């Protein structure tokens, strides 16, 4: 049974230290080719961890933690890293997942309401546009928030502030990652039943990897910003006596 244990616990493949550093889509493709089997196993772990539905946010956080490690080219011990992240972020991920789900539900309800009304009243096109933009922003915010959460332990308000800032600085890569993830599910629907095994093999893990890859640069940027974004406090001085 050694081979079975090694399949889940051994280090992932690395890259030669002298290899030229790739960027953009070339780097995305390089990591995907190198780590595809790890992503298949990660997809399977996510499905198992999310079977109870209420565990979905924690499973997403654990999958995001492993995906960030792949983007950073760090050694990963898949089963151990996933399990540790699942337990570590369970309550935080559940709370943020509930809050973001409520926000998205409100946005979608607004889109449906104003969209139906805009057919008869063009004045409702303005609030419909606002609702569409708000929905996209909340989705982008959710991507940055989950990646920042697994990259650094931060207080809730600071995490939200950094995620909001990152969503303003670089929203397009996150939107592109979400579009890529959506295209995986669109392909699953269009090519069904040929694509019946796509969700079980890589849809979830590849989608999360795309999100982690897309927002990673913005997350690193806001994490390394100077303390100007934090409330500045003048140090206390004792009067010389």
């Amino acid at each position: 049974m050694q081979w079975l244990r090694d399949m889940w616990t051994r280090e992932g493949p690395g890259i030669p230290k002298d290899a030229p550093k790739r960027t953009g889509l070339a780097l995305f493709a390089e990591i995907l080719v190198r780590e595809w089997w790890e992503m298949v196993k990660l997809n399977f772990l996510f499905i198992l961890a999310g079977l109870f539905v209420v565990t979905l946010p924690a499973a997403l956080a654990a999958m995001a933690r492993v995906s960030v490690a792949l983007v950073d080219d760090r050694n990963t011990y898949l089963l151990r890293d996933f399990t540790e992240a699942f337990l570590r972020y369970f309550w935080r991920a559940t709370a943020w997942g509930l809050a973001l789900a409520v926000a998205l539900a409100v946005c979608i309800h607004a889109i449906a309401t104003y969209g139906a009304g805009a057919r008869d009243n063009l004045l409702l096109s303005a609030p419909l546009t606002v609702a569409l933009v708000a929905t996209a922003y909340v989705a982008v915010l959710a991507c940055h928030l989950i990646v920042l959460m697994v990259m650094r332990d931060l207080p809730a308000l600071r995490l939200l502030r950094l995620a909001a800032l990152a969503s303003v600085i670089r929203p397009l890569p996150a939107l592109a990652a979400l579009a890529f993830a959506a295209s995986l599910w669109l392909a699953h629907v269009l090519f069904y039943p040929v694509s019946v095994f796509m969700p079980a093999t890589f849809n979830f893990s590849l989608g999360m990897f795309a999100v982690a890859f897309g927002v990673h640069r913005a997350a690193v940027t806001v994490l390394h910003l100077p303390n100007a974004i934090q409330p500045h406090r003048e140090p206390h001085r004792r009067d010389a006596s």
Side-chain angles (χ1 to χ4, degrees), residues 27-38:
L27 179 60
F28 181 88
E30 179 187 78
I31 299 174
L32 180 59
V33 170
R34 186 174 70 244
E35 305 286 359
W36 69 271
W37 180 235
E38 295 298 298

Side-chain angles (χ1 to χ4, degrees), residues 17 37 41 92 136 159 195 204 221 231:
K17 64 179 181 178
W37 180 235
K41 292 186 289 183
R92 276 178 286 178
L159 175 61
S195 60
F204 297 108
T221 298

